[in-house]
Amino acid sequence: MPLIEVSIARGRTPEQLRALIGELHRAAENAVGAAPENTTVIVREIEHEHWSRGNQTIAERNAAVAEIRSS
């Protein structure tokens, strides 16, 4: 009975999220023989201001890139 939890930065379309969920279900079926009805997938969308890497949030990184492009 797999439980797959994924955190992803907010901003994907419903279609992209649906595709991700479908692929995760297929991966569980292929990798461990999990029955689809026994597999749970939880997708958590994280705000860009709440996700950081290298002490810089996604929002800060996006703002910096936008500034460079507008220069």
Side-chain angles (χ1 to χ4, degrees):
M1 198 183 289
L3 168 61
I4 302 168
E5 296 183 69
V6 175
S7 296
I8 190 168
R10 187 173 300 283
R12 291 352 186 259
T13 66
E15 295 80 14
Q16 288 173 317
L17 293 173
R18 185 65 193 99
L20 175 61
I21 290 167
E23 291 296 328
L24 292 169
H25 271 272
R26 279 188 282 287
E29 289 177 53
N30 293 334
V32 296
E37 63 273 11
N38 293 332
T39 301
T40 300
V41 174
I42 299 171
V43 177
R44 290 188 174 85
E45 290 186 285
I46 311 299
E47 297 295 336
H48 291 192
E49 295 81 8
H50 299 167
W51 191 311
S52 72
R53 181 185 311 150
N55 199 28
Q56 185 179 40
T57 68
I58 293 172
E60 292 166 337
R61 195 166 51 247
N62 289 347
V65 168
E67 187 175 320
I68 291 168
R69 288 182 181 162
S70 67
S71 298

